[in-house]
Amino acid sequence: MYPRALSELIKAFSALPGIGPKGAERLAIFLARENEDKARSLAQAIMRLKAQVHVCRLCGMLSTSQLCPVCADEERDHTLVCVVETPADVAAMEASQAFKGVYHVLGGNLQPIEGIGPAHLNLGPLRQRLESGAINEVLIATNPSAEGEATANLLVRTFKDSKIKFTRLACGLPMGSSLQYMDSLTVSRALAGRTRVEEAEE
Amino acid sequence: MYPRALSELIKAFSALPGIGPKGAERLAIFLARENEDKARSLAQAIMRLKAQVHVCRLCGMLSTSQLCPVCADEERDHTLVCVVETPADVAAMEASQAFKGVYHVLGGNLQPIEGIGPAHLNLGPLRQRLESGAINEVLIATNPSAEGEATANLLVRTFKDSKIKFTRLACGLPMGSSLQYMDSLTVSRALAGRTRVEEAEE
């Protein structure tokens, strides 16, 4: 029913993550009806991205240079490596302004059902970094989901013979939440991870 | 935090319908990490779409020629016009293989809260087609939503002085559904639109 060029764009959009056939159809029809500038600027932004943005050769973050700004920053603590699933997780950590170490981006998490195993993760370069002896602590910041937990376990198992300290982001109640509306798994995690209240120090 | 080319692509994706800031971030990161072929083929598909696909000058459907295949088909009944909201609705009607008339694509529906009024719909060309005298019946196939109903009412009001017969797609139970799980508005529509059971004719 649709012109070939429209069907092909629908197919190209469908291949992107989180876009189903109906969503792809809506996007392609939207672009077909919009003025040419909007479509051209989208196409150009895609090509500019591929021309300018690369993967940092050390940590796997996206960057315009061979080393990303964090890896190139000598003020950061290069003995502390935070392992995350995706570049978006790096952005979230940086937005907190609470982390002074460096990163390692795995590029995903373990999803056995989808056939995504350890070989699909950016583990080789992480091993090299850990074996260099320059790293004291690995902060595992994979997501608190089944896949993220499995990935965290894989990391600890893989590098268990090293002398490096492995830590994990705390799980518990998010700020601004209500205990009564929280799911029971989060409540049980918050309970298990309860911390001692100290007297406020001056 | 992100390279400029990445931020700009996130912004371009966010401008598309149904894609929020987080979805746009995920898409852009996906393309940044994929091999260049995938990104290039997407960019090229967008540019090819704009080069090849236009709006049919008669009905507003998307087509590679000035007249879409339906409008150009002399076998179709050109006295019967089905008015739909979007090109995707034309595709759905054609997939049913039950409609032999031609189409008119409004390009949306009335959304007063979003500031989308009659001026945003493809009504002028519809008026011209109706005033040509060649059309006997207008089948209104806007969606059975509040916006679609308002749009249908607008059409009937706008063209009430013409001698043309206006019809509307039937509302009722969808095939394969269960009465017990159906929302009560649909049940009341099915009741109001009940049809007489005739003896099967040979």
Side-chain angles (χ1 to χ4, degrees):
Chain A
M1 179 58 214
Y2 288 135
R4 186 194 188 89
L6 184 61
S7 305
E8 279 173 359
L9 182 57
I10 292 173
K11 203 172 143 200
F13 273 132
S14 299
L16 300 180
I19 298 186
K22 277 288 161 190
E25 192 177 347
R26 184 168 52 162
L27 291 174
I29 288 174
F30 173 83
L31 286 177
R33 295 174 52 90
E34 277 293 306
N35 62 43
E36 190 150 349
D37 287 352
K38 197 156 201 166
R40 185 187 303 276
S41 74
L42 175 61
Q44 285 171 347
I46 292 169
M47 292 314 293
R48 209 159 42 227
L49 173 85
K50 295 312 289 184
Q52 294 178 8
V53 176
H54 312 282
V55 170
C56 169
R57 66 176 167 77
L58 204 54
C59 75
M61 181 57 184
L62 298 169
S63 166
T64 50
S65 44
Q66 280 222 315
L67 272 187
C68 74
V70 172
C71 285
D73 185 350
E74 294 189 357
E75 302 284 299
R76 311 277 302 213
D77 180 357
H78 287 257
T79 68
L80 168 59
V81 175
C82 174
V83 180
V84 295
E85 295 178 10
T86 72
D89 297 327
V90 174
M93 286 290 289
E94 286 296 286
S96 78
Q97 298 189 330
F99 182 68
K100 300 303 173 206
V102 293
Y103 296 96
H104 192 86
V105 179
L106 291 176
N109 54 27
L110 290 181
Q111 298 179 41
I113 295 167
E114 307 286 332
I116 299 173
H120 293 83
L121 304 180
N122 187 21
L123 286 176
L126 179 60
R127 180 185 298 276
Q128 280 179 23
R129 293 178 79 179
L130 299 191
E131 285 175 351
S132 73
I135 287 161
N136 296 330
E137 179 178 345
V138 172
L139 166 57
I140 303 178
T142 54
N143 288 321
S145 60
E147 295 83 2
E149 297 284 329
T151 310
N153 291 340
L154 171 77
L155 289 173
V156 174
R157 236 174 24 243
T158 306
F159 301 111
K160 68 173 187 294
D161 295 331
S162 69
K163 293 257 167 61
I164 295 161
K165 180 166 81 169
F166 281 82
T167 55
R168 187 99 173 78
L169 283 185
C171 273
L173 306 177
M175 297 303 290
S177 63
S178 306
L179 189 52
Q180 63 174 326
Y181 296 123
M182 201 50 52
D183 65 286
S184 51
L185 195 58
T186 299
V187 173
S188 70
R189 284 300 190 90
L191 190 64
R194 65 192 179 277
T195 55
R196 189 178 190 119
V197 181
E198 309 278 356
E199 295 266 343
E201 288 177 38
E202 281 304 306
Chain B
M1 180 59 215
Y2 288 136
R4 185 196 189 88
L6 184 61
S7 306
E8 280 174 358
L9 182 57
I10 292 172
K11 204 172 142 200
F13 274 132
S14 299
L16 300 181
I19 298 186
K22 277 289 161 192
E25 191 177 347
R26 184 167 51 160
L27 290 174
I29 288 174
F30 173 83
L31 286 178
R33 296 173 52 90
E34 275 294 307
N35 62 43
E36 190 151 349
D37 287 351
K38 196 156 201 166
R40 186 188 301 277
S41 74
L42 175 62
Q44 284 172 345
I46 293 169
M47 293 314 294
R48 209 159 41 226
L49 174 84
K50 296 311 290 184
Q52 295 178 7
V53 176
H54 313 282
V55 171
C56 169
R57 65 175 167 79
L58 204 55
C59 75
M61 182 57 185
L62 299 169
S63 167
T64 48
S65 44
Q66 280 222 316
L67 272 186
C68 74
V70 172
C71 285
D73 185 350
E74 294 189 358
E75 302 282 301
R76 310 277 302 212
D77 180 358
H78 288 256
T79 68
L80 169 58
V81 174
C82 174
V83 180
V84 294
E85 296 179 7
T86 70
D89 298 326
V90 173
M93 286 290 290
E94 287 294 288
S96 79
Q97 299 189 328
F99 183 68
K100 299 302 172 204
V102 294
Y103 295 96
H104 192 85
V105 180
L106 291 175
N109 53 28
L110 290 181
Q111 298 180 39
I113 295 168
E114 307 285 334
I116 300 174
H120 293 84
L121 303 181
N122 188 23
L123 286 176
L126 179 60
R127 181 186 298 278
Q128 280 178 21
R129 294 178 78 180
L130 299 190
E131 285 174 352
S132 73
I135 288 160
N136 296 329
E137 180 179 345
V138 171
L139 167 56
I140 303 177
T142 54
N143 288 322
S145 60
E147 295 83 1
E149 297 283 328
T151 310
N153 291 339
L154 170 77
L155 289 173
V156 174
R157 237 174 24 242
T158 306
F159 301 110
K160 68 174 186 294
D161 296 330
S162 69
K163 294 258 168 60
I164 295 161
K165 181 166 83 171
F166 282 83
T167 54
R168 186 102 174 78
L169 283 185
C171 274
L173 306 176
M175 298 303 290
S177 62
S178 306
L179 189 53
Q180 62 174 328
Y181 296 123
M182 201 49 52
D183 66 288
S184 51
L185 195 57
T186 299
V187 173
S188 70
R189 285 300 190 90
L191 190 63
R194 65 192 179 279
T195 55
R196 188 180 193 120
V197 182
E198 309 277 355
E199 295 265 344
E201 286 178 38
E202 281 303 307

